[in-house]
Amino acid sequence: MRPVPHMLISLGVGAGLAYVFKSYPAAVSCFIGGVFIDIDHHIDYVIARGKIPNYKELNDFCDGMDGGWKPYLIFHSLEAIFMAWLLTIYFQLNVVWGGFLIGITVHMICDQLANPIRPLGYFSWYRFKVNYDKQKIFTQRYFDELEQKKK
């Protein structure tokens, strides 16, 4: 999913949080969590290419047009998000932390629904187990769309 839909969805969910919890900090943290989780795409680019990307380079990279790269996606980790929720509940962290995690969780739900990724693809342990092999992480739709873009 592209950045603009994530921004709009995070803005909407954040507005809902502001209304329900009467907390603008929770709304802002929801937006931040829902958008900036994608910083791991930048990290993957730097690991693969050794430089900070411009917007076009990052788009081509994320679209798979930029050749071989491994989808480490360190923040797109369902088990880490689950642990963060457990810690937030256990330590009774405030609504700002809850807003941040709601933003990240909504982001991940949208990614799981919109992106051509296999059901286990957003588990870090699975990506590690398959050595970050895109054939085992992404569905055939990913490769079909990549071929269409190359034409």
Side-chain angles (χ1 to χ4, degrees):
M1 187 175 243
R2 292 286 183 199
V4 171
H6 279 305
M7 288 179 196
L8 295 173
I9 291 166
S10 296
L11 191 62
V13 173
L17 288 177
Y19 178 77
V20 170
F21 293 108
K22 310 294 187 242
S23 171
Y24 293 110
V28 171
S29 69
C30 175
F31 181 81
I32 290 169
V35 173
F36 289 102
I37 182 177
D38 275 340
I39 197 76
D40 59 7
H41 296 293
H42 296 259
I43 294 168
D44 282 357
Y45 186 95
V46 170
I47 290 169
R49 302 290 175 258
K51 67 175 193 157
I52 297 172
N54 64 36
Y55 187 75
K56 182 182 180 338
E57 289 170 333
L58 186 64
N59 274 333
D60 288 348
F61 181 77
C62 291
D63 284 345
M65 300 293 289
D66 190 18
W69 61 279
K70 291 187 175 189
Y72 296 113
L73 301 171
I74 60 172
F75 299 127
H76 285 71
S77 169
L78 293 175
E79 61 271 44
I81 294 167
F82 179 73
M83 288 301 299
W85 273 110
L86 287 178
L87 292 171
T88 298
I89 292 165
Y90 180 79
F91 290 111
Q92 299 178 355
L93 299 178
N94 66 26
V95 71
V96 175
W97 283 102
F100 185 74
L101 286 175
I102 287 169
I104 289 173
T105 302
V106 169
H107 178 108
M108 290 299 296
I109 291 168
C110 292
D111 274 359
Q112 187 72 59
L113 294 173
N115 292 340
I117 195 162
R118 296 185 188 281
L120 295 176
Y122 283 122
F123 285 96
S124 294
W125 66 265
Y126 176 76
R127 292 193 304 269
F128 177 78
K129 179 183 175 204
V130 300
N131 196 29
Y132 306 96
D133 180 349
K134 287 187 274 190
Q135 295 284 340
K136 295 177 180 164
I137 295 170
F138 295 105
T139 65
Q140 185 58 44
R141 188 181 110 211
Y142 171 84
F143 301 101
D144 293 345
E145 289 174 359
L146 182 58
E147 284 302 313
Q148 288 297 320
K149 290 174 187 174
K150 288 181 180 178
K151 290 181 183 180

